Amino acid sequence: MYVILTSKPGQFRTEIVDGVRPIEAYDYLFGERPKARFVIAELERATKIRVIDEVEPPVLNLVPTKFLPSYESLEQARQELEHLTAFGSVRAALRPVPVPATA
């Protein structure tokens, strides 16, 4: 199973944890500005994803992977990511970035 993890600079970040293996990472660009980072990751087992709210005071949330949308294949996750970032004629793009280190 695959999931899409999202981080938005200045708002929240999602951290890779044991049991989650990052496969691909992308910056979501609106014009030339990065607005979000998406990581497609393989679930090796059920776990809890660390999501840290970056607004003061920072808050740590542990989100069980069973609550995340999941995809049977890497290709399905890629298609969903393309769908999430398509807004008709709006100038937005996905730029591949280095995959984050594992936990």
Side-chain angles (χ1 to χ4, degrees), residues 4 13 30 48 62 71 89 92:
I4 299 171
R13 71 180 183 277
F30 188 77
K48 292 183 180 179
L62 298 174
Y71 308 93
S89 63

Side-chain angles (χ1 to χ4, degrees), residues 16-90:
I16 302 299
V17 298
D18 191 40
V20 176
R21 185 172 63 91
I23 304 294
E24 298 176 350
Y26 301 90
D27 276 346
Y28 172 69
L29 304 174
F30 188 77
E32 294 298 315
R33 252 177 97 171
K35 293 298 222 175
R37 173 154 299 167
F38 297 107
V39 175
I40 297 176
E42 183 177 16
L43 289 180
E44 298 174 330
R45 62 178 172 80
T47 188
K48 292 183 180 179
I49 302 293
R50 293 171 51 95
V51 180
I52 294 102
D53 290 328
E54 294 180 337
V55 180
E56 291 298 325
V59 176
L60 169 65
N61 297 289
L62 298 174
V63 180
T65 53
K66 69 180 179 181
F67 293 120
L68 299 176
S70 60
Y71 308 93
E72 290 290 327
S73 69
L74 181 56
E75 187 56 38
Q76 285 178 341
R78 287 177 182 146
Q79 288 174 356
E80 180 62 17
L81 189 55
E82 289 289 333
H83 175 74
L84 288 173
T85 58
F87 295 105
S89 63
V90 173

